């Protein structure tokens, strides 16, 4: 007897369960990441203003260096998920190991570049004479943990591709607790000062990397996958990552241009911009959780050759993106009288930030669709299109943003330009999703 086809309601419920199962733990892991910097700041802040300023400069440099390589997580998630969909777990884990080996190679290169150039990098970032020695010390020590940080990115991608976002959550929470405890012990218990904070972070990151490697190695042994580095596989991972690297660098350029324009508007504007940008980034964590679910789910469907399932999942995730965006926008509007005083007591800064904050709130449904479709196309391995789309977005945003100081409108106009940027991303991603050209099936793209 043939089985009756699932009803649309049953299909939606199945997709909802998949999205929630993957997105909720992913959100928890994403939120845990910035807590590392917050813990370091809270502990080092009691050492003195110069130490805290030095930490701020060094952390910004480190986070920039690591965020550039976020493609290690994105590309690995998509590639592993495809092989999971094709029911080839040994090949999935083998693909993941190639990503981890690439992370180690890139990490070693970054360490070799940062250690001798640390003082110059700190000076380039504009650290004061009093803060520069602390920034250099923290940067040089923390740089030793960059290979571990990149392994964490790649291994997170492996587990996401295996449809497991719970383990990354557990590791992230354990890493945060270990980081905080080690920082307190080494900074105050041992008396190492800011160097102790750096060593605590390095040890916590290495512990996280080891935890991930234990999980991946166990999976490799269970399924008979090789752990040895494979030159062809590592090269393929790097090639898949290049378009996503272009995409990430383009997005970073947009954010840097926005900050540079805000700085030209005046002290109140740049202060308000930093507040709005921080809140915008925080909102992005919730939206990115849906995107991560999209990467894993879409990759699995396409690996299994199920284009209709991929279409249905994409449609449902877009609905989730809109719903989450609307909810976040309403939350910002309702809580806006409470949000701004948390960041500043300066009435002028609050007055400058308020209209921009309203624009951010109104644009959240757009952001919800953008993040979702970004994740869907990453899961499909559609990196080259994402790279070209982001380069186009950068080309549209840059002249508009640079005209803001000349044409007027202040920070409100600048965040209007940011909304234009998100709208251009929405159009490019929607057109691609609608075309169906991303629906390439098979264990590899």
């Amino acid at each position: 007897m043939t089985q009756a086809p699932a009803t649309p309601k049953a299909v939606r419920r199945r997709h909802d369960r998949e999205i929630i199962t993957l997105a909720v733990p992913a959100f928890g892991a994403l939120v845990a990441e910035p807590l590392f910097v917050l813990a370091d700041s809270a502990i080092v802040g009691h050492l003195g203003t110069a130490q805290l300023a030095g930490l701020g400069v060094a952390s910004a440099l480190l986070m920039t260096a690591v965020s550039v390589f976020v493609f290690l997580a994105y590309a690995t998630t998509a590639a592993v998920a495809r092989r999971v969909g094709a029911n080839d777990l040994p090949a999935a884990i083998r693909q993941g190991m190639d990503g981890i080996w690439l992370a180690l190679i890139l990490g070693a290169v970054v360490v070799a570049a940062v250690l001798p150039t640390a003082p110059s990098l700190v000076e380039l970032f504009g650290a004061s004479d009093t803060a520069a020695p602390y920034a250099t010390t923290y940067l040089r020590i923390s740089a030793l943990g960059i290979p571990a940080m990149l392994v964490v990115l790649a291994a997170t991608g492996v587990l996401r591709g295996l449809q497991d976002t719970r383990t990354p959550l557990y590791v992230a929470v354990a890493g945060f607790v270990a980081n905080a405890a080690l920082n307190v012990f080494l900074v105050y218990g041992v008396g190492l000062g800011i160097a102790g904070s750096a060593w605590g972070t390095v040890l916590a990151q290495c512990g996280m990397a080891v935890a991930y490697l234990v999980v991946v190695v166990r999976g490799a042994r269970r399924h008979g996958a090789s752990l040895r580095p494979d030159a062809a596989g590592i090269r393929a991972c790097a090639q898949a990552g290049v378009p996503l690297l272009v995409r990430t660098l383009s997005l970073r350029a947009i954010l840097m241009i926005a900050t540079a324009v805000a700085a030209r508007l005046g002290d109140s504007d740049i202060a308000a911009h930093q507040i709005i940008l921080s809140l915008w980034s925080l909102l992005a964590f919730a939206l990115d959780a849906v995107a991560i679910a999209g990467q894993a789910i879409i990759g699995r469907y396409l690996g299994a050759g199920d284009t209709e399932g991929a279409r249905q999942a994409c449609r449902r995730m877009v609905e989730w993106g809109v719903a989450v965006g609307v909810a976040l926008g309403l939350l910002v509007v309702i809580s806006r009288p409470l949000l701004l005083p948390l960041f500043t007591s300066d009435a002028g800064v609050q007055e400058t930030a308020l209209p921009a904050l309203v624009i951010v709130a109104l644009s959240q449904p757009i952001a919800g669709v953008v993040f979702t479709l970004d994740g869907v196309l990453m899961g499909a391995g559609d990196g080259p299109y994402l790279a070209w789309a982001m380069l186009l977005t950068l080309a549209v945003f840059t002249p508009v943003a640079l005209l803001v100081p000349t044409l007027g409108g202040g920070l409100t106009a600048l965040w209007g330009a940011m909304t234009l940027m998100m709208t251009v991303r929405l159009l490019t991603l929607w057109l691609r999703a609608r075309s169906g050209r991303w629906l390439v099936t098979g264990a590899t793209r």
Side-chain angles (χ1 to χ4, degrees), residues 22 77 80-81 84 89 92-93 157-165 216 296:
L22 291 171
T77 297
V80 171
V84 170
L89 286 177
I93 296 174
V158 175
L159 295 180
R160 288 173 182 170
L162 294 170
Q163 316 297 297
D164 175 11
T165 56
V216 174

Side-chain angles (χ1 to χ4, degrees), residues 35-53:
L35 294 179
F36 272 81
V37 178
L38 287 177
D40 288 1
S41 299
I43 293 165
V44 171
H46 292 286
L47 294 174
T49 302
Q51 289 91 331
L52 183 59

Side-chain angles (χ1 to χ4, degrees), residues 25 32 58 66 134 139-140 186 212 295 341 351-352 375 417 421 445:
V66 173
Y134 297 112
L139 181 59
R140 276 184 165 155
L186 294 174
Y212 275 119
Q295 293 171 29
E351 184 179 352
T352 301
M421 177 269 292
R445 183 180 171 92

Side-chain angles (χ1 to χ4, degrees), residues 43-44 47 51 133-134 137-138 141 181-203:
I43 293 165
V44 171
L47 294 174
Q51 289 91 331
Y134 297 112
T137 296
Y138 190 93
I141 296 172
L182 285 167
N183 269 255
V184 170
F185 174 70
L186 294 174
V187 172
Y188 297 110
V190 181
L192 294 180
I194 195 169
S197 177
W199 281 115
T201 299
V202 169
L203 291 172

